[in-house]
Amino acid sequence: MATLAEALAQTLLPSTCAICGMVLPWRGSRAGVCPTCWGGVVPHPAPVCSACGSPEVEADGPCLGCRTKPPPWRAAASFGAYDGVLRELVLVFKSRGRDELAAPLAELLLATWRRAGWAITYS
């Protein structure tokens, strides 16, 4: 049951999800996005190609395309497919100036970097 302060805040200061437009719950939302939308952010399944980052690979290592014609870069990675909720989050961050999404999106990039197993190198 909501406390009086929660009920007043939701009544006087309603907030809506930046993605779906639904009213944000008092607890559980993050950076102006509801828990349901955050749940729609799906990472690539493991494994991914070590060269291009494509999830269309059957085992660890480069995919068939990268083995037959290696790309001009050393490695690439992405958190998930650029569609659905993830695409909407990036577009809202970039085009609507929703800076509060910077930290959660950076966490997704950090998770991708860790999953890729890249070492830190200093020049």
Side-chain angles (χ1 to χ4, degrees):
M1 180 174 217
T3 66
L4 179 60
E6 291 172 355
L8 283 172
Q10 286 183 326
T11 303
L12 300 174
L13 304 168
S15 294
T16 58
C17 176
I19 304 302
C20 69
M22 297 298 293
V23 175
L24 289 174
W26 178 256
R27 290 186 176 91
S29 62
R30 186 171 175 207
V33 177
C34 72
T36 302
C37 287
W38 276 115
V41 177
V42 181
H44 285 308
V48 296
C49 174
S50 59
C52 70
S54 171
E56 305 295 325
V57 66
E58 295 180 15
D60 288 334
C63 65
L64 180 60
C66 290
R67 283 189 306 232
T68 57
K69 186 177 181 202
W73 56 83
R74 296 175 87 188
S78 65
F79 180 81
Y82 186 64
D83 62 9
V85 177
L86 183 56
R87 180 179 184 276
E88 289 301 314
L89 284 168
V90 172
L91 291 176
V92 165
F93 172 66
K94 289 172 63 176
S95 64
R96 288 198 234 158
R98 300 289 299 260
D99 293 341
E100 64 271 21
L101 288 169
L105 290 173
E107 289 174 15
L108 298 180
L109 290 175
L110 179 60
T112 302
W113 177 76
R114 287 182 174 150
R115 186 175 63 202
W118 294 336
I120 298 174
T121 57
Y122 298 98
S123 299

